Amino acid sequence: MMKIFDMKVATLATLIGLALAGCSGDNGTNGKDGAPGTPGTPGTPGIPVATDAKALTVAVDTIAVGATSDVTFTVTNEKDLPVVGLEKFGFILSGLEQGTDGDASNWKLLSSEACPASKYAKCGSLVDNQDGTYTYSFEKDVTTESAFAITDEKTLRLVMRTGGEAVGATELSYENMHYDFRGQGLEPLYSKNVVNNQNCVSCHDDFTIHGGKYTEVETCVACHADNKVSDISKVFPMLAHEVHIGVIPAPVGGCDNCHAENEQATDFANWKNIPTQETCITCHTDVNFKEGIGHWPYQDNAQCANCHTSDTLEMVHLSTYKGQNERRENLHLTVTEAKMVDAPEAKANIDANLDTDKTGYVQLTVDILDKNGNTRNEQLDLVKYMYYAEFYINWGGQDMGMDRGKVLRVHTNKENFPGYVDEPIVLNYENGKTTFEIGPFDLEDDFDGDLNDSYGMVTPRIWFCIDKDGETIQDCDGKTDWSNGAAGYNWQHFFNKEGMLEERPRRQIVTNALCGDCHGTTTSDDGFVQMTLNCRSCHSVVKNDSTYFGTTCASGSVDSDGDGSLDPMVMMKDLMPRAERDWTTASNAGEECVACHNANNMPTQVIRNSQTKQGDEDYIEQLTMSHPDQKVWIHAMHANNRANQSGEGWKRNVEYSADLANCAKCHVEDSFDAKYLVGRKPLALDLDYMDTYDGLDPANGKDTSGNKRYAVDAVADAFVSPTAAVCLSCHGKRAAEEGEDRRQVRKDVVSHMKQNGAQFGVEMGQYTGEESCAVCHDLNNLKESHNLK
């Protein structure tokens, strides 16, 4: 280790030595040497310090809180080298008041300070000890805080903020650390760690707020205290509820979406263990406990837990959610066989005369099993306990062959849409197994050619009626309806002309676990992870408005005032989650949606609802970003880029809570590689859809509005390159400027795509095939441009 040499001391010693050497005794003789001096104290060796840092680690060495509050701490870099010369720190000191008489424990802010001082915070005394340690003395005498009395038993929290300055060549981002203690740095006796960053980042990316200075939930709760903020709704538990309720993409009422157990969230179950009026009314806004509105009048929380026990609260909030696992186990609608045949065998299909040498028919065999896996020996179409039993089917491989596939609705609460849903035809029933035949399916495609060697997919969607105890299956009598029922498992199956396939032919792109990080999940006893998202999470029920009821697939454009101009429905259709858990389905991360949400299925709804129309400068691009193809609409919907999004006050707006560039947030491994789009089918458009609008369908006796239009009567007349469509779904729009009613298409992006072979809205004979996107935008480029490792 290099020694530090003190030049001033050395020079002085030399001068003294020279002076002494010039002195002599009497008669010019030298005197006797004096006694040796006492050896000096060895100097302290210097220490190596950091010259650069990518991240800082802060460790509390000593802390004392009182009339004078001091903390000594050590700062090191990622190489464990001490960091000196730092000037920017934030310090928050809070105390936890333990709840009594039903109240929850609450944090109280003792002091919030920062160096250098600003108009928002004062700076006490900060000393850099030049060895990686710092000492900070709080400016405030925290014993004067009337809201909290410091004792040896109470938990205290110190939050320290670093960052916002450079170490060497690196500008450090802000980071927070927190340290819980009591007395003079002892371990705390109790805590309140309800949620933490591990809970939050399941939906969000890096958690930052207030200009990025605060990066931990533990910081938020320490400062958003009732003795700091004047508005009770800004106290952190209430604030957190307010900004999430009705906004989060998981069904409201699933407290475990955020209050999930992990190694740091030691008090995650507080929501059910310690019910309080303050937190309950953030969801139950129609209740006023003080005035007795919507609840017995209570002035405090002392009696809340008497009725609202932990078990009761969990049952009320989560029973229809977690209870689905128990109720749905009562019945399994199981596909035992599926295959494609060249010609129909059922007499009704033969008599329909729809068969050609380019079509085929799907034969589907289904068994109804009880909770023990034994057949119930019942013919599916004859049972009365099914509210609906539907099978979504398509053929043609990864891009599918038909625009909306076909739906076999054995039992249904919906209308049968001609060409999309046919009446169920039973081919055979034997030993509890019902075989249906449905078709025709096209076995030849304009782009993919012969589809005989391809494969198909089928997924069931069922709901059966059961008693209120969830134990005994019962007939749907129309009174209790389906409200006591249960959603069955939605297994996905693949098949070809030989029968069902044991191995999935499609690559895995997303999973329930990944989507469920944000949309919520529950896990069955056998380990099946279910995503709580359901179609109804986006398509709200509008039974109270007959104009819009049943318009999810047969959306009606309405001319309510009779002036010949269609009313925009977008302001009236609500995208918010339904706030109910009983729609939980065992979906495979929405993968079964490709039966309908594929490249062949044209975007007609945004035209009917007048969100884009012929003559618009960006008509083609708006249709492209509004395409129902799974690989496009998922991206565009999260990016808020569909034509029925981005308007001021529109219900369908989505504010994605994470970084849209973070492909790994949703994708399995490298499934976002652009090479997977090479060779895919172009996306179909129907540019003159409204030109063929003919109003009332006289064959539909239920149609009394005179303006219903089925989504299955579109005819493809233009096509869009697949890679360009996917990339445009995220990159295609810019923020709306003042005076614009929606976000606008980025012409520069479209131009770049066209220069590299992309085609937008060309006729079939003009479509020339692939863009060259993947040549430059390979996997490494995508990772680099999306800031992925």
Side-chain angles (χ1 to χ4, degrees):
M1 182 178 292
M2 183 179 67
K3 294 183 178 180
I4 304 299
F5 187 74
D6 192 323
M7 180 59 71
K8 292 186 293 183
V9 174
T11 303
L12 179 60
T14 302
L15 291 174
I16 293 174
L18 290 173
L20 291 175
C23 298
S24 60
D26 295 340
N27 303 320
T29 60
N30 291 330
K32 294 182 178 180
D33 293 337
T38 304
T41 304
T44 303
I47 61 172
V49 296
T51 58
D52 200 356
K54 296 180 180 178
L56 300 180
T57 299
V58 180
V60 174
D61 300 321
T62 63
I63 187 166
V65 176
T68 301
S69 300
D70 304 298
V71 55
T72 299
F73 55 96
T74 300
V75 184
T76 54
N77 70 356
E78 67 279 2
K79 297 179 180 178
D80 206 28
L81 291 174
V83 180
V84 302
L86 296 176
E87 298 178 346
K88 293 186 177 181
F89 290 95
F91 302 91
I92 298 174
L93 192 59
S94 298
L96 183 59
E97 197 70 76
Q98 192 166 12
T100 58
D101 297 325
D103 292 336
S105 298
N106 286 303
W107 291 100
K108 306 290 184 180
L109 180 66
L110 301 181
S111 187
S112 178
E113 303 178 9
C115 298
S118 68
K119 65 177 181 179
Y120 301 108
K122 296 180 179 180
C123 175
S125 172
L126 176 65
V127 178
D128 180 355
N129 299 316
Q130 294 297 305
D131 59 356
T133 67
Y134 297 77
T135 300
Y136 180 74
S137 299
F138 278 81
E139 187 272 342
K140 180 181 178 181
D141 175 1
V142 296
T143 63
T144 63
E145 176 55 57
S146 59
F148 187 83
I150 300 173
T151 69
D152 290 340
E153 291 77 28
K154 292 182 180 179
T155 298
L156 301 172
R157 170 169 290 175
L158 171 69
V159 175
M160 283 193 288
R161 187 196 73 228
T162 60
E165 60 183 315
V167 177
T170 304
E171 184 76 18
L172 294 173
S173 58
Y174 291 106
E175 294 290 343
N176 298 167
M177 66 80 63
H178 68 279
Y179 175 66
D180 291 353
F181 63 101
R182 64 182 172 93
Q184 304 302 308
L186 300 175
E187 288 288 327
L189 298 175
Y190 58 94
S191 67
K192 188 183 180 182
N193 295 313
V194 177
V195 294
N196 54 31
N197 283 27
Q198 189 173 337
N199 301 117
C200 298
V201 296
S202 61
C203 237
H204 302 274
D205 284 329
D206 294 337
F207 181 82
T208 59
I209 203 166
H210 290 302
K213 290 185 176 181
Y214 302 117
T215 61
E216 285 190 349
V217 177
E218 290 84 354
T219 305
C220 304
V221 301
C223 198
H224 279 267
D226 59 7
N227 69 316
K228 163 72 173 179
V229 297
S230 57
D231 185 352
I232 188 67
S233 67
K234 298 301 184 289
V235 177
F236 186 74
M238 282 66 83
L239 174 66
H241 285 179
E242 182 178 336
V243 298
H244 286 91
I245 300 304
V247 178
I248 60 174
V252 178
C255 307
D256 58 348
N257 290 329
C258 299
H259 296 279
E261 183 177 8
N262 61 54
E263 61 272 15
Q264 284 139 3
T266 53
D267 305 288
F268 77 97
N270 270 22
W271 69 271
K272 60 181 179 179
N273 292 337
I274 308 175
T276 65
Q277 300 179 28
E278 295 79 15
T279 52
C280 290
I281 61 174
T282 58
C283 285
H284 301 280
T285 55
D286 57 341
V287 174
N288 187 314
F289 291 98
K290 300 294 188 292
E291 298 181 13
I293 299 175
H295 193 282
W296 297 108
Y298 285 111
Q299 298 304 309
D300 54 41
N301 297 314
Q303 301 183 59
C304 294
N306 292 343
C307 297
H308 301 286
T309 64
S310 175
D311 289 342
T312 299
L313 287 172
E314 182 169 353
M315 177 188 70
V316 170
H317 289 86
L318 302 181
S319 62
T320 54
Y321 165 49
K322 293 184 175 179
Q324 279 291 321
N325 287 333
E326 298 178 3
R327 291 200 296 274
R328 65 169 28 122
E329 288 294 347
N330 283 274
L331 186 143
H332 294 261
L333 190 57
T334 303
V335 176
T336 61
E337 184 58 270
K339 65 178 179 179
M340 174 70 75
V341 297
D342 290 324
E345 297 179 25
K347 188 175 187 306
N349 282 328
I350 295 173
D351 292 344
N353 291 318
L354 297 176
D355 182 38
T356 71
D357 59 355
K358 297 181 180 179
T359 63
Y361 287 74
V362 171
Q363 294 177 353
L364 190 69
T365 303
V366 183
D367 198 357
I368 311 173
L369 307 181
D370 63 18
K371 66 177 64 178
N372 298 316
N374 301 317
T375 181
R376 290 175 60 97
N377 285 311
E378 295 172 313
Q379 187 170 326
L380 177 58
D381 60 313
L382 301 181
V383 301
K384 297 182 179 180
Y385 49 76
M386 287 287 184
Y387 185 58
Y388 55 74
E390 306 168 351
F391 299 85
Y392 291 78
I393 313 168
N394 210 331
W395 176 268
Q398 61 181 1
D399 284 319
M400 298 293 125
M402 303 179 66
D403 52 2
R404 300 183 68 88
K406 279 185 174 291
V407 181
L408 174 64
R409 285 181 174 161
V410 183
H411 298 274
T412 184
N413 62 326
K414 303 178 181 66
E415 297 179 36
N416 284 333
F417 308 136
Y420 172 45
V421 180
D422 297 332
E423 294 293 335
I425 297 176
V426 176
L427 180 63
N428 183 46
Y429 171 73
E430 185 177 1
N431 298 325
K433 294 179 175 62
T434 312
T435 300
F436 299 91
E437 187 175 78
I438 184 170
F441 290 82
D442 294 329
L443 295 182
E444 186 169 298
D445 184 82
D446 291 330
F447 294 95
D448 291 340
D450 189 350
L451 299 179
N452 278 279
D453 293 331
S454 188
Y455 63 86
M457 60 160 288
V458 57
T459 181
R461 180 172 176 263
I462 71 171
W463 190 279
F464 56 89
C465 295
I466 199 170
D467 64 11
K468 63 181 181 180
D469 295 325
E471 297 177 354
T472 305
I473 293 175
Q474 62 183 18
D475 289 348
C476 303
D477 57 12
K479 296 178 181 178
T480 57
D481 207 0
W482 50 273
S483 58
N484 292 329
Y489 286 103
N490 292 4
W491 302 121
Q492 186 179 31
H493 306 277
F494 297 96
F495 61 93
N496 60 17
K497 283 196 165 185
E498 302 299 321
M500 293 177 64
L501 300 175
E502 294 184 2
E503 297 183 3
R504 57 176 288 123
R506 295 176 60 88
R507 62 191 175 92
Q508 192 76 47
I509 302 172
V510 294
T511 64
N512 278 4
L514 283 169
C515 296
D517 279 344
C518 212
H519 292 290
T521 59
T522 184
T523 304
S524 61
D525 292 338
D526 58 0
F528 184 79
V529 178
Q530 300 160 216
M531 183 172 61
T532 59
L533 181 68
N534 178 271
C535 300
R536 290 297 179 203
S537 296
C538 294
H539 296 283
S540 61
V541 172
V542 284
K543 286 185 177 180
N544 58 337
D545 189 337
S546 59
T547 303
Y548 303 110
F549 178 52
T551 61
T552 299
C553 292
S555 185
S557 293
V558 178
D559 178 13
S560 58
D561 56 10
D563 65 353
S565 177
L566 301 179
D567 299 341
M569 292 170 54
V570 68
M571 296 294 290
M572 306 176 190
K573 299 197 75 172
D574 196 337
L575 185 68
M576 297 301 182
R578 292 183 65 240
E580 294 181 18
R581 285 288 193 151
D582 58 357
W583 279 91
T584 300
T585 61
S587 64
N588 189 14
E591 188 179 18
E592 62 269 26
C593 300
V594 298
C596 298
H597 286 267
N598 56 63
N600 312 283
N601 193 359
M602 287 139 279
T604 54
Q605 188 167 358
V606 294
I607 306 176
R608 290 195 303 274
N609 295 345
S610 304
Q611 281 119 24
T612 189
K613 57 186 180 298
Q614 297 174 57
D616 288 345
E617 182 182 7
D618 55 4
Y619 179 55
I620 302 293
E621 292 80 6
Q622 292 284 358
L623 284 182
T624 299
M625 283 179 278
S626 305
H627 203 285
D629 186 28
Q630 182 88 332
K631 60 183 177 290
V632 171
W633 83 268
I634 289 290
H635 290 113
M637 182 266 295
H638 284 90
N640 209 41
N641 279 344
R642 291 169 62 82
N644 60 357
Q645 296 176 300
S646 307
E648 183 177 354
W650 288 8
K651 294 293 188 181
R652 290 184 177 270
N653 288 349
V654 170
E655 294 186 17
Y656 185 58
S657 56
D659 182 3
L660 278 168
N662 185 7
C663 308
K665 192 78 175 178
C666 303
H667 279 268
V668 172
E669 298 177 342
D670 295 336
S671 61
F672 56 88
D673 192 337
K675 71 179 183 182
Y676 294 119
L677 295 173
V678 176
R680 301 295 295 273
K681 186 185 296 185
L683 278 64
L685 304 178
D686 185 357
L687 301 184
D688 62 352
Y689 183 72
M690 293 308 294
D691 290 346
T692 61
Y693 178 80
D694 56 5
L696 178 65
D697 177 7
N700 184 356
K702 296 182 180 180
D703 187 353
T704 58
S705 64
N707 50 37
K708 181 174 292 186
R709 183 170 181 79
Y710 292 114
V712 295
D713 55 5
V715 178
D717 56 18
F719 299 90
V720 179
S721 307
T723 306
V726 173
C727 296
L728 194 71
S729 63
C730 271
H731 295 281
K733 288 191 177 182
R734 60 170 173 80
E737 296 177 355
E738 186 175 358
E740 294 177 341
D741 62 351
R742 64 184 182 188
R743 293 167 64 189
Q744 304 300 300
V745 173
R746 295 177 58 189
K747 295 181 180 179
D748 57 325
V749 172
V750 176
S751 176
H752 169 75
M753 292 178 172
K754 288 182 177 179
Q755 289 173 1
N756 289 277
Q759 295 181 286
F760 290 89
V762 300
E763 296 179 2
M764 182 179 297
Q766 297 174 336
Y767 185 75
T768 57
E770 293 301 326
E771 322 95 311
S772 58
C773 304
V775 174
C776 294
H777 299 294
D778 61 9
L779 181 61
N780 289 332
N781 173 265
L782 288 173
K783 288 185 175 182
E784 181 180 356
S785 59
H786 288 80
N787 296 316
L788 302 174
K789 295 180 179 179

